[in-house]
Amino acid sequence: MLVLTAPCGEMLILLILGSEMDSSESTIRSEQKSRKFLESLIGKQPRDLLLVIGTAISAAVAPGIPGLCSWRSCTEAVIEAAEQLAALYPGDVAEFCQKVIKDRDLLVVAHDLIRKMSPVSIKEKPNFFQDCLMEVFDNLEQHIQNPVLQSILRLMERGTMVLTTNYDNLLEIFGQQQGKPIESLDLKDKDKVHQWARGHINRVLHIHGLYTDPCGMVLDPSGFKDVTEDPEVMEVLQNLYRTKSFLFLGCGETLHDQIFQALFLYTVLYTVKNKVDLEHYMLVLKENEDHFFKLQAVMLLHGIKGVSYGDCFKQFPEYVQELTAQICKQRTPDADVGSTTLLGTSSVDCAKRKLGENGTDSSKRIKQSDNGVPTI
């Protein structure tokens, strides 16, 4: 408020609703608009969801590691590490730097890069690619900054399954820091994949492999050949798409990823009948409205609802946190289970201890829910 004295002695009161207030109100309106949630999504039980974690989660969690931000930045970081470690001839470094800029298919570039650093065979050791990856992902635990992993852990504690397209193990590291160990697995271990699909939620399935095992990383559609030709594994994945609502977090352009297309679009989504019985969701940036609505239309053809989390990436972590809070408000049909009973190897023992401490009737036995999660 600004008070001015006029020559005639009258007091003129001038209320200034300056641009700062307008800006503040605009920001509030924008945030309120970005916080709208689909009722069909927040009405889901956590155990009815399967999270698919993409690159944007890693970028939000550890912004200090450029190699986690995108395929391009990861490839550039590997090339830089190879140059520093003298693992590539200078001429090859320059050639690959040009390829990263010009080539649209970065997976091909990454595959060629691996072959260059392991000339005999990408499946044989030793090779320098693993050293470069270790350099790129060095000290991951020191770079975790964002609480978005806490939201994912919270959903896992309530029965949500998780698979990721990422090569890093940030979620597992965070779980260890919280005293809730999470096991990493890939599609090569069929027995553990089956166990995971039956509800062993203290595991994360890395469908592209993990950076700690470079020889097991999938860098092109042919890497899924053994999986797509295995009827048992494909039945597991198809059954999950029939029984779970997939929620894609930080996946962005995943539908254009050739690897994702090879495993999901052509061998899972298109072969599962009656897909309309379940709804699937993907959080998407709405920076450009034309691009967003075109992508949304394409995703609907695949049975996936594109949901805007806002018009800038900074809104993504907070949106995930609030979305998680909304979903976790839903009470499960079974009695509540302490978080420690869902993550970790001694879940039943923890539940029994809680019963003893609370003086609960010992006749209440530990039973298994439909998805294999211990409940009371």
Side-chain angles (χ1 to χ4, degrees):
M1 177 182 293
L2 179 64
V3 181
L4 298 178
T5 303
C8 60
E10 298 177 351
M11 300 293 293
L12 299 179
I13 300 177
L14 179 61
L15 297 177
I16 299 182
L17 304 176
S19 59
E20 183 176 347
M21 184 176 294
D22 292 339
S23 176
S24 176
E25 291 178 351
S26 176
T27 301
I28 293 174
R29 286 195 300 269
S30 176
E31 289 181 350
Q32 289 175 340
K33 186 177 181 180
S34 70
R35 296 298 178 262
K36 295 294 184 182
F37 301 102
L38 294 180
E39 289 295 329
S40 60
L41 175 54
I42 62 175
K44 302 290 183 187
Q45 297 290 342
R47 69 180 185 184
D48 294 332
L49 295 172
L50 189 152
L51 298 187
V52 181
I53 298 176
T55 308
I57 290 290
S58 298
V61 170
I65 301 181
L68 293 177
C69 296
S70 66
W71 254 112
R72 185 177 302 280
S73 60
C74 182
T75 306
E76 290 173 341
V78 169
I79 295 172
E80 182 180 353
E83 181 179 23
Q84 293 174 347
L85 296 174
L88 275 180
Y89 185 73
D92 292 329
V93 171
E95 179 183 347
F96 278 109
C97 286
Q98 287 299 313
K99 285 185 176 181
V100 171
I101 297 173
K102 296 181 179 179
D103 288 16
R104 296 184 62 184
D105 196 339
L106 292 174
L107 292 177
V108 173
V109 177
H111 190 265
D112 292 344
L113 186 59
I114 293 175
R115 294 188 68 89
K116 180 64 73 172
M117 287 189 280
S118 45
V120 179
S121 168
I122 61 173
K123 294 184 179 179
E124 294 183 9
K125 294 183 178 181
N127 64 67
F128 284 112
F129 180 63
Q130 182 171 13
D131 297 284
C132 293
L133 281 179
M134 294 298 181
E135 187 74 17
V136 172
F137 297 135
D138 187 35
N139 298 321
L140 283 178
E141 65 279 356
Q142 298 180 11
H143 293 272
I144 296 178
Q145 298 182 17
N146 200 288
V148 68
L149 289 182
Q150 184 65 61
S151 298
I152 296 173
L153 201 62
R154 185 179 178 189
L155 287 170
M156 290 183 71
E157 290 170 351
R158 288 160 175 78
T160 299
M161 299 173 66
V162 176
L163 70 80
T164 179
T165 60
N166 297 341
Y167 297 117
D168 65 77
N169 58 344
L170 281 167
L171 180 58
E172 292 91 319
I173 291 173
F174 182 75
Q176 188 68 40
Q177 291 176 344
Q178 301 300 307
K180 300 168 183 176
I182 301 173
E183 183 181 358
S184 306
L185 66 147
D186 57 36
L187 291 169
K188 293 182 298 182
D189 195 331
K190 297 178 184 178
D191 290 338
K192 287 189 176 181
V193 170
H194 279 278
Q195 293 172 4
W196 170 80
R198 288 196 297 267
H200 287 239
I201 55 172
N202 61 329
R203 294 173 177 168
V204 175
L205 177 61
H206 290 258
I207 62 171
H208 291 168
L210 196 60
Y211 84 94
T212 52
D213 180 20
C215 296
M217 292 172 59
V218 179
L219 293 166
D220 58 64
S222 64
F224 283 129
K225 184 178 180 180
D226 292 340
V227 175
T228 56
E229 293 180 354
D230 187 316
E232 290 187 8
V233 175
M234 290 312 302
E235 175 63 25
V236 167
L237 295 176
Q238 291 169 1
N239 188 57
L240 286 173
Y241 208 78
R242 293 187 191 100
T243 58
K244 300 286 184 179
S245 285
F246 281 44
L247 174 56
F248 296 85
L249 299 179
C251 292
E253 302 290 339
T254 296
L255 290 178
H256 302 302
D257 185 332
Q258 292 181 353
I259 302 177
F260 180 83
Q261 290 175 349
L263 184 62
F264 277 93
L265 293 188
Y266 302 137
T267 56
V268 177
L269 273 67
Y270 293 159
T271 57
V272 176
K273 297 180 180 179
N274 302 320
K275 293 191 291 291
V276 293
D277 294 342
L278 275 177
E279 293 180 304
H280 307 282
Y281 308 85
M282 181 183 290
L283 300 192
V284 183
L285 174 68
K286 195 176 72 171
E287 186 177 24
N288 179 288
E289 289 193 346
D290 289 340
H291 177 75
F292 169 78
F293 287 110
K294 286 179 182 178
L295 180 61
Q296 189 181 61
V298 171
M299 287 192 291
L300 280 176
L301 294 176
H302 301 303
I304 301 172
K305 288 184 176 180
V307 181
S308 168
Y309 62 78
D311 56 11
C312 68
F313 182 66
K314 289 182 179 180
Q315 295 172 306
F316 175 70
E318 187 175 350
Y319 187 94
V320 172
Q321 288 178 267
E322 294 190 17
L323 175 62
T324 298
Q326 291 290 328
I327 293 173
C328 289
K329 285 181 180 179
Q330 304 299 319
R331 294 195 50 93
T332 59
D334 298 328
D336 290 336
V337 185
S339 60
T340 55
T341 66
L342 290 180
L343 293 178
T345 57
S346 57
S347 58
V348 175
D349 292 338
C350 291
K352 286 180 178 178
R353 283 200 302 272
K354 286 184 180 241
L355 286 174
E357 291 169 2
N358 296 335
T360 308
D361 187 356
S362 60
S363 63
K364 288 187 178 181
R365 301 289 184 182
I366 303 297
K367 65 180 181 178
Q368 296 286 329
S369 65
D370 294 338
N371 64 355
V373 178
T375 59
I376 297 173

